[in-house]
Amino acid sequence: MTDSTPRPDDTLAELRWPLRLTWAGLLAERLSRAFWPLASLVLLVAAALAFGAHDLLSPAAAFAIGGALLAALLGTLVYGLRSFRRPGRAEALDRLDRSLPGRPLAALSDSQAIGAGDPASEAVWRAHVTRMAARARAARAVAPDLRLSSLDPYGLRHVALIAFTVALIFGSFLRVASVADLGKGGPALASGPSWEGWIEPPAYTAKPAIYLNDISDTRLAVPQGSRVTLRLYGAVGALDVTETVSGREPGAEAAAPAGTDAMARSFEVIRDGRVEIDGSGGRSWQIVLSPDIRPEVRLTGEIDVTADGEMRQPFSASDDYGVTTGEATITLDLAAVERRYGLAAEPDPRAPLVLDLPMPISGDRRQFTETLVENLSQHPWAGLPVQVELAVEDALGQRGVSAPAAMVLPGRRFFDPLARAVVEQRQALLWARSNAREVAQVLRAISYRPDEIFRNESAYLQLRVAIRRLERAAPGLTAETQAELAGALWDIAVLIEDGDLSDAAERLRRAQERLSEAMRNGASDAEIAQLMDELREATRDYMRQLAEQQQDEDRQQAQSGEMQELTGDQLQQMLDRLQQLMEEGRMAEAQQLLQMLQQMMENMQVTQGPGGDSPGQQAMEGLAETLRDQQGLSDDAFRDLQEQFNPGQQGQGEGREGEGEQDRAEADPGQGGEDGQQSLAERQEALRRELERQQQTLPGLGASPESEGTREALDRAGRAMDEAERSLRDNDLAGALDDQARAMEALREGMRNLGEALAQNRQQRGEDGQGRGRADAGGERRDPLGRAPGSTGQVGTEDSMLQGEDVYRRARDLLDEIRRRSGEQNRPDLELDYLRRLLERF
């Protein structure tokens, strides 16, 4: 090796600090592994002494435990001394070398074993040594591994460290001096008595405890409910405590804290006063009570009511330390109730309505604003004047109450007159059980002519059953039956209001009526917005149904002349204008525009040539006929059920459902008795067979979801008819009615799915019509009212309706045509109803 080869000593001299630090790390590792039990035990003993654990022990117990701890300390010290081995320089060098790639320090101390004397081999060796020296100079100190988890799997060292840290923060190492008190005549006893004291505010204040030994002020302000704890040391009687803050009688002893000796005192601060430690080294404090302010709550803003009757009432609450709970109490304002009709009777006693106020889940409860959200539409007081009172409570139990606020308890609004009447009678029934008989009579009166007022057969049947139950229970109506019947009447009213709106024309008419009624009655913006959305949806469905019912367009135009179209854009334009008028508060103009829209929609006629029904339409008509027959059979079964409970009363006012129905009931030879049930069962069987035949002759519908829905719904209808037949043969009329209701519902669903499937088939064949309605017209392109569109392209006209030379002759011709068409009973019911209204007007 020549002089140019790096020497190991020179390299190690350059690495003296990394080597020293690595050696220090090794020393720390071995000290921690050898002496961690001793250090943990010392920290635990120091923490216990700082917290005064020795004060809780008798002298004998203290000496016994102290001896055991001393033995443990000696044992851990011996264990540490035997386990500890001081690291050497070679070990530090080896660890540093192991942290470097290729172990360059070991390479520097090596000598060339092969090729010595060969210049080429020696040159390679010198290059290798130079490279290792350069790599060694980049060495850094190796961090020590101080992990002891393998030696201390339970983490006892961490427990000791945490305990010692807490003792440093909250404890007092001055207490260690009192260890001498355990020995009689010790130095602590000779030094005289001592004491310690704390004032702990209530936890809900989130304020820290006050250590009286560190407080120099003699005047202290503390929250109400704070607890003072004083611990006296030294000879018994050397120190004494007097106080006037707890409200105890003079001479009464303060209670000692649990688990302490007789020289400890603890009491709660409930008023201003003085606390004094009498004796040598004692002190006194003037305690000033910081009162806990009573919480406050109030209503903020106006109540907001959604279209479905849900109310939203904002409120705010505050407290100096935070509100814990709250409630809203709603009581009936009987003096403000208009006592008439069903409310004229003396109301049944009813407890105030109590609702829990929402509290913030997270955050500060000292000052917050929340919203009480409830839907009380079904409550007996819905729509009546009430008093609302809010109350909140803090952690101390103090209660803050708001001023009573008068309001009308919000609830769902019903726009259908029949539904509104049912809801009013429901409220009368809940108002007083003594109204039961009168409510039954009123409900029977409003359902006297069902064909004229009921659009939903299920609602009528449910109402008649409810009337029967109410009449039977009226003499001794119980609270449970009252609540059950009220729930049934609510369901009936909702069913009447919403209805079975599967038919698009019926949905459109109902939506127009509800919106018009809402505008007349001054409904809220939320209600009008919801009804406007319903109108838009119903209008789209109606236009879609007209498109689905279109047949061969070219053939119809050839037979009926040129047809007029109302495009979806024009219709959307009218609806947007209607909504704009309502938002601007121009309700009179909105009513006029709504009436015009209603006339336009009613004037749309589905044009069909004679004898041109498609197989799909024939199937729809057959299912509709089956549905009507099933409805008639269900009505007959219901009359027989009434006759079972009230023999001989049919047709005497209690079971009267209209003259036409009563005549059918009297003419039916099978009503009442076993022969009647057999006749109804046979009719049900015939309907089931007819439905099976129609299922076999359905046109090809493909494999669309609507087609599958049609088949599934008709299968359910057939099964329900079969079950109804068995119930009729077993004389179970009530069960048969339920089965028949399911059959009718399944038939309606099947018809809806069939219509959608047929419409899709027409679309796939390229038939247009989505978003268009057609109306009879002649001449140039006109709107459904027979007017030419304006120059702007909007719905309306710039022309006069009275043009031409012989307008009166034209009017007579139109009137004659209307009369002729109204006499054709094979026309759709919707068209006949519209023609009758035209005749009544003109």
Side-chain angles (χ1 to χ4, degrees), residues 276-601:
E276 185 175 358
I277 301 177
D278 300 325
S280 177
R283 291 180 56 187
S284 64
W285 300 270
Q286 185 67 33
I287 303 297
V288 179
L289 190 65
S290 298
D292 192 334
I293 302 175
R294 188 180 300 275
E296 296 180 357
V297 62
R298 66 183 183 277
L299 298 175
T300 58
E302 297 294 332
I303 190 171
D304 183 28
V305 184
T306 61
D308 60 351
E310 182 180 78
M311 72 171 187
R312 298 176 177 269
Q313 176 61 65
F315 69 94
S316 64
S318 62
D319 185 64
D320 49 358
Y321 294 116
V323 176
T324 57
T325 60
E327 63 182 21
T329 303
I330 301 176
T331 56
L332 179 66
D333 190 357
L334 191 59
V337 176
E338 188 175 359
R339 304 293 295 276
R340 61 173 186 169
Y341 307 130
L343 306 182
E346 190 66 23
D348 294 338
R350 191 174 294 275
L353 178 62
V354 179
L355 306 174
D356 291 332
L357 292 179
M359 296 285 115
I361 298 177
S362 61
D364 193 0
R365 289 193 180 185
R366 291 179 296 180
Q367 180 76 39
F368 64 91
T369 300
E370 283 287 346
T371 302
L372 175 63
V373 180
E374 289 287 344
N375 193 328
L376 303 175
S377 299
Q378 299 190 44
H379 195 271
W381 297 340
L384 297 180
V386 295
Q387 294 281 344
V388 180
E389 186 179 81
L390 305 184
V392 292
E393 188 173 313
D394 62 8
L396 193 59
Q398 298 181 114
R399 188 177 178 88
V401 182
S402 68
M407 66 173 63
V408 174
L409 188 64
R412 173 173 176 172
R413 297 186 62 175
F414 290 83
F415 299 101
D416 188 283
L418 179 59
R420 191 161 58 244
V422 173
V423 168
E424 290 176 357
Q425 296 309 307
R426 172 186 177 273
Q427 187 177 55
L429 177 63
L430 289 173
W431 178 264
R433 291 196 290 271
S434 59
N435 287 334
R437 188 175 300 278
E438 181 180 351
V439 169
Q441 292 174 352
V442 174
L443 291 176
R444 188 173 290 281
I446 63 177
S447 61
Y448 174 67
R449 302 293 293 272
D451 291 338
E452 299 177 2
I453 60 175
F454 280 92
R455 303 185 186 93
N456 190 296
E457 303 87 352
S458 179
Y460 169 68
L461 294 176
Q462 293 181 31
L463 181 61
R464 302 301 291 182
V465 172
I467 293 173
R468 289 291 189 185
R469 293 188 57 193
L470 186 57
E471 289 174 341
R472 290 195 300 269
L477 184 64
T478 63
E480 293 76 10
T481 306
Q482 178 191 33
E484 185 178 352
L485 288 172
L489 291 178
W490 176 267
D491 295 338
I492 293 170
V494 172
L495 181 60
I496 295 173
E497 177 76 8
D498 297 338
D500 182 10
L501 302 182
S502 60
D503 183 77
E506 176 67 12
R507 289 187 61 195
L508 176 61
R509 184 182 63 79
R510 292 284 300 278
Q512 292 169 342
E513 290 179 358
R514 285 159 58 90
L515 182 57
S516 178
E517 182 74 14
M519 288 191 290
R520 287 195 299 269
N521 294 340
S524 65
D525 295 339
E527 291 173 323
I528 290 181
Q530 181 180 7
L531 294 174
M532 190 66 201
D533 292 339
E534 292 181 6
L535 178 62
R536 290 178 185 274
E537 183 180 357
T539 303
R540 287 194 298 267
D541 292 344
Y542 182 63
M543 299 295 289
R544 188 181 302 113
Q545 187 185 65
L546 288 179
E548 291 174 358
Q549 292 178 354
Q550 278 183 205
Q551 296 303 309
D552 189 350
E553 185 173 348
D554 296 336
R555 179 178 58 79
Q556 290 176 358
Q557 290 180 349
Q559 292 177 353
S560 304
E562 185 177 356
M563 305 301 296
Q564 281 302 320
E565 294 180 349
L566 176 65
T567 66
D569 293 339
Q570 292 173 328
L571 182 61
Q572 184 64 36
Q573 203 173 59
M574 291 190 68
L575 293 175
D576 293 341
R577 178 59 177 167
L578 176 62
Q579 186 168 6
Q580 179 183 358
L581 291 175
M582 290 189 295
E583 292 175 352
E584 295 175 355
R586 300 157 63 181
M587 292 301 177
E589 299 179 42
Q591 281 278 13
Q592 294 178 0
L593 183 58
L594 181 62
Q595 292 176 2
M596 185 179 75
L597 176 63
Q598 186 173 2
Q599 292 175 359
M600 292 173 60
M601 300 303 293

Side-chain angles (χ1 to χ4, degrees), residues 801-812:
M801 295 289 288
L802 299 178
Q803 292 182 354
E805 298 179 356
D806 193 359
V807 295
Y808 296 104
R809 181 185 61 79
R810 177 59 177 164
R812 286 195 302 271

Side-chain angles (χ1 to χ4, degrees), residues 613-636:
D613 290 345
S614 66
Q617 286 184 319
Q618 293 176 358
M620 290 287 288
E621 293 174 358
L623 291 176
E625 182 66 25
T626 302
L627 179 60
R628 286 192 291 270
D629 292 343
Q630 181 63 74
Q631 180 62 63
L633 179 58
S634 180
D635 292 342
D636 294 341

Side-chain angles (χ1 to χ4, degrees), residues 12 18-31 83-99 103 105 140-144:
L12 292 177
L19 187 59
R20 290 174 181 176
L21 294 175
T22 302
W23 179 85
L26 275 173
L27 180 63
E29 287 183 12
R30 296 184 180 183
L31 285 174
S83 302
F84 176 73
R85 187 170 58 87
R86 186 176 183 275
R89 183 174 182 275
E91 293 175 322
L93 184 63
D94 181 67
R95 170 168 288 197
L96 184 63
D97 192 24
R98 289 178 183 274
S99 66
R103 304 196 64 177
L105 296 178
R140 296 292 181 268
V142 180

